[in-house]
Coordinates of all heavy atoms in Angstrom, one line a residue:
R214 N 65.2 -169.8 139.3 CA 66.1 -169.3 140.4 C 65.5 -168.2 141.2 O 65.6 -168.2 142.4 CB 67.4 -168.9 139.7 CG 68.3 -170.0 139.1 CD 69.7 -169.6 138.9 NE 69.9 -168.5 138.1 CZ 70.1 -168.5 136.7 NH1 70.1 -169.6 136.1 NH2 70.4 -167.4 136.2
E215 N 64.9 -167.3 140.5 CA 64.3 -166.1 141.2 C 63.1 -166.5 142.1 O 63.0 -166.1 143.2 CB 63.7 -165.1 140.2 CG 63.2 -163.8 140.8 CD 64.3 -163.1 141.7 OE1 65.4 -163.2 141.4 OE2 63.8 -162.3 142.5
A216 N 62.3 -167.5 141.6 CA 61.1 -167.9 142.4 C 61.7 -168.7 143.6 O 61.2 -168.5 144.7 CB 60.3 -168.8 141.5
C217 N 62.7 -169.5 143.4 CA 63.3 -170.3 144.6 C 64.0 -169.4 145.6 O 63.9 -169.5 146.8 CB 64.2 -171.4 144.2 SG 63.4 -172.8 143.4
R218 N 64.6 -168.4 145.0 CA 65.3 -167.3 145.9 C 64.4 -166.7 146.8 O 64.6 -166.6 148.0 CB 66.1 -166.3 145.0 CG 66.8 -165.3 145.9 CD 67.1 -164.1 145.1 NE 66.0 -163.3 144.6 CZ 65.3 -162.4 145.5 NH1 65.6 -162.3 146.7 NH2 64.3 -161.9 145.0
F219 N 63.2 -166.3 146.3 CA 62.2 -165.7 147.1 C 61.7 -166.5 148.2 O 61.6 -166.2 149.4 CB 61.0 -165.2 146.2 CG 59.9 -164.6 146.9 CD1 59.9 -163.3 147.2 CD2 58.7 -165.3 147.3 CE1 58.9 -162.6 148.0 CE2 57.7 -164.6 147.9 CZ 57.8 -163.3 148.3
V220 N 61.5 -167.8 147.9 CA 61.0 -168.8 148.9 C 62.1 -169.1 149.9 O 61.8 -168.9 151.2 CB 60.5 -170.1 148.2 CG1 60.2 -171.2 149.3 CG2 59.3 -169.8 147.4
L221 N 63.2 -169.4 149.5 CA 64.2 -169.8 150.4 C 64.7 -168.7 151.3 O 65.0 -169.0 152.5 CB 65.5 -170.5 149.6 CG 65.1 -171.8 148.9 CD1 66.2 -172.1 148.0 CD2 64.6 -172.9 149.8
E222 N 65.0 -167.5 150.7 CA 65.5 -166.5 151.5 C 64.4 -166.0 152.5 O 64.7 -165.6 153.7 CB 66.0 -165.3 150.7 CG 67.2 -165.7 149.9 CD 67.8 -164.5 149.1 OE1 67.1 -163.5 149.0 OE2 68.8 -164.7 148.4
D223 N 63.1 -166.1 152.1 CA 62.0 -165.9 153.0 C 62.0 -166.8 154.2 O 61.7 -166.4 155.4 CB 60.7 -165.9 152.2 CG 59.5 -165.4 153.1 OD1 59.7 -164.3 153.6 OD2 58.5 -166.0 153.3
Y224 N 62.4 -168.0 154.0 CA 62.5 -168.9 155.1 C 63.9 -168.9 155.9 O 64.1 -169.6 156.8 CB 62.3 -170.4 154.5 CG 60.9 -170.9 154.5 CD1 60.2 -170.7 153.3 CD2 60.2 -171.5 155.6 CE1 58.8 -171.0 153.2 CE2 58.9 -171.8 155.5 CZ 58.2 -171.6 154.3 OH 56.9 -172.0 154.2
G225 N 64.7 -168.0 155.4 CA 65.9 -167.8 156.2 C 67.3 -168.6 155.8 O 68.2 -168.6 156.4
Y226 N 67.1 -169.2 154.6 CA 68.2 -169.9 154.1 C 69.2 -169.1 153.3 O 68.8 -168.1 152.7 CB 67.8 -171.1 153.1 CG 67.1 -172.2 153.8 CD1 65.7 -172.3 153.7 CD2 67.7 -173.1 154.6 CE1 65.0 -173.3 154.3 CE2 67.0 -174.2 155.3 CZ 65.7 -174.3 155.1 OH 64.9 -175.2 155.7
A227 N 70.5 -169.4 153.5 CA 71.5 -168.7 152.6 C 71.6 -169.5 151.3 O 71.7 -170.7 151.3 CB 72.9 -168.7 153.3
V228 N 71.4 -168.8 150.2 CA 71.3 -169.5 148.9 C 72.4 -169.0 148.0 O 72.8 -167.9 147.9 CB 69.9 -169.2 148.2 CG1 69.8 -170.0 147.0 CG2 68.8 -169.4 149.1
R229 N 73.0 -170.0 147.3 CA 74.0 -169.8 146.2 C 73.5 -170.3 144.9 O 73.0 -171.5 144.9 CB 75.3 -170.4 146.6 CG 76.5 -169.9 145.7 CD 77.8 -170.3 146.2 NE 78.9 -169.9 145.3 CZ 80.1 -170.2 145.4 NH1 80.5 -170.9 146.5 NH2 81.1 -169.8 144.5
Y230 N 73.6 -169.5 143.9 CA 72.9 -169.9 142.7 C 74.1 -170.3 141.6 O 75.1 -169.6 141.5 CB 72.2 -168.8 142.1 CG 71.1 -168.3 143.0 CD1 71.4 -167.2 143.9 CD2 70.0 -169.0 143.1 CE1 70.4 -166.8 144.8 CE2 69.0 -168.5 144.1 CZ 69.2 -167.5 144.9 OH 68.4 -167.1 145.9
W231 N 73.8 -171.3 140.8 CA 74.6 -171.8 139.8 C 73.8 -172.0 138.5 O 72.8 -172.7 138.6 CB 75.3 -173.1 140.2 CG 75.9 -173.1 141.5 CD1 75.4 -173.3 142.8 CD2 77.4 -172.9 141.8 NE1 76.2 -173.1 143.8 CE2 77.6 -172.9 143.2 CE3 78.5 -172.6 141.1 CZ2 78.7 -172.7 143.8 CZ3 79.7 -172.4 141.6 CH2 79.9 -172.5 143.0
P232 N 74.3 -171.5 137.3 CA 73.6 -171.6 136.2 C 73.7 -172.9 135.5 O 72.8 -173.3 134.6 CB 74.1 -170.5 135.2 CG 75.5 -170.3 135.7 CD 75.5 -170.6 137.2
D233 N 74.7 -173.7 135.9 CA 74.9 -175.1 135.2 C 75.7 -176.0 136.1 O 76.3 -175.5 137.1 CB 75.5 -175.0 133.8 CG 76.9 -174.4 133.9 OD1 77.8 -175.0 134.5 OD2 77.1 -173.3 133.4
G234 N 75.6 -177.3 135.9 CA 76.3 -178.3 136.6 C 77.7 -178.2 136.7 O 78.4 -178.4 137.7
A235 N 78.4 -177.9 135.6 CA 79.9 -177.8 135.5 C 80.4 -176.7 136.3 O 81.4 -177.0 137.1 CB 80.3 -177.6 134.1
Q236 N 79.8 -175.6 136.4 CA 80.3 -174.5 137.3 C 80.0 -174.9 138.7 O 80.9 -174.5 139.6 CB 79.5 -173.2 136.9 CG 80.0 -172.5 135.6 CD 79.3 -171.2 135.4 OE1 79.3 -170.4 136.3 NE2 78.8 -171.0 134.3
F237 N 79.0 -175.6 139.0 CA 78.7 -175.9 140.4 C 79.7 -176.9 140.9 O 80.3 -176.7 142.0 CB 77.4 -176.6 140.5 CG 77.1 -177.4 141.8 CD1 77.0 -176.7 143.0 CD2 77.0 -178.7 141.7 CE1 76.8 -177.4 144.2 CE2 76.9 -179.4 143.0 CZ 76.7 -178.8 144.1
L238 N 80.1 -177.9 140.1 CA 81.1 -178.9 140.5 C 82.4 -178.3 140.6 O 83.3 -178.7 141.5 CB 81.1 -180.1 139.5 CG 79.9 -181.0 139.5 CD1 80.0 -182.0 138.2 CD2 79.8 -181.9 140.8
A239 N 82.8 -177.3 139.8 CA 84.1 -176.7 139.8 C 84.2 -175.8 141.0 O 85.3 -175.5 141.4 CB 84.3 -175.9 138.4
G240 N 83.1 -175.2 141.5 CA 83.1 -174.2 142.5 C 82.8 -174.6 143.9 O 82.9 -173.8 144.9
V241 N 82.1 -175.8 144.0 CA 81.6 -176.1 145.4 C 82.7 -177.0 146.1 O 83.4 -177.9 145.5 CB 80.3 -176.8 145.2 CG1 80.4 -178.3 144.7 CG2 79.5 -176.9 146.6
D242 N 82.6 -177.0 147.5 CA 83.4 -177.9 148.3 C 82.3 -179.0 148.6 O 81.3 -178.7 149.3 CB 83.8 -177.4 149.6 CG 84.6 -178.3 150.5 OD1 84.6 -179.5 150.2 OD2 85.0 -177.8 151.6
P243 N 82.5 -180.3 148.0 CA 81.5 -181.3 148.2 C 81.4 -181.9 149.6 O 80.5 -182.7 149.9 CB 81.9 -182.4 147.2 CG 83.4 -182.2 147.1 CD 83.6 -180.7 147.2
H244 N 82.3 -181.5 150.5 CA 82.4 -182.1 151.9 C 82.1 -181.1 152.9 O 82.9 -180.9 153.8 CB 83.8 -182.8 152.1 CG 84.1 -183.9 151.0 ND1 85.1 -183.8 150.2 CD2 83.5 -185.0 150.8 CE1 85.2 -184.8 149.4 NE2 84.2 -185.6 149.7
T245 N 80.9 -180.5 152.7 CA 80.5 -179.6 153.7 C 79.0 -179.9 154.1 O 78.4 -180.7 153.4 CB 80.6 -178.1 153.1 OG1 79.8 -178.0 151.8 CG2 81.9 -177.5 152.8
L246 N 78.6 -179.1 155.1 CA 77.1 -179.2 155.4 C 76.3 -178.4 154.5 O 76.5 -177.2 154.4 CB 76.9 -178.8 156.9 CG 75.4 -178.8 157.3 CD1 74.9 -180.3 157.3 CD2 75.3 -178.3 158.8
G247 N 75.3 -178.9 153.8 CA 74.5 -178.2 152.9 C 73.6 -179.0 152.0 O 73.6 -180.2 152.1
V248 N 72.9 -178.3 151.1 CA 72.0 -179.0 150.3 C 72.1 -178.4 148.8 O 72.4 -177.3 148.7 CB 70.5 -178.7 150.7 CG1 69.5 -179.2 149.7 CG2 70.2 -179.2 152.1
V249 N 71.9 -179.3 147.8 CA 72.0 -178.9 146.4 C 70.7 -179.3 145.8 O 70.3 -180.4 145.9 CB 73.2 -179.4 145.7 CG1 73.2 -181.0 145.8 CG2 73.2 -179.0 144.3
I250 N 70.0 -178.2 145.2 CA 68.9 -178.6 144.5 C 69.2 -178.6 143.0 O 69.7 -177.5 142.4 CB 67.8 -177.5 144.7 CG1 67.4 -177.4 146.2 CG2 66.5 -177.8 143.9 CD1 66.6 -176.2 146.7

Side-chain angles (χ1 to χ4, degrees):
R214 294 199 301 270
E215 181 63 19
C217 286
R218 180 196 67 79
F219 179 79
V220 170
L221 295 175
E222 292 182 355
D223 189 51
Y224 274 92
Y226 291 102
V228 188
R229 189 169 179 187
Y230 305 95
W231 307 85
D233 62 65
Q236 288 188 47
F237 166 71
L238 288 172
V241 73
D242 179 354
H244 301 115
T245 54
L246 177 65
V248 174
V249 55
I250 302 170

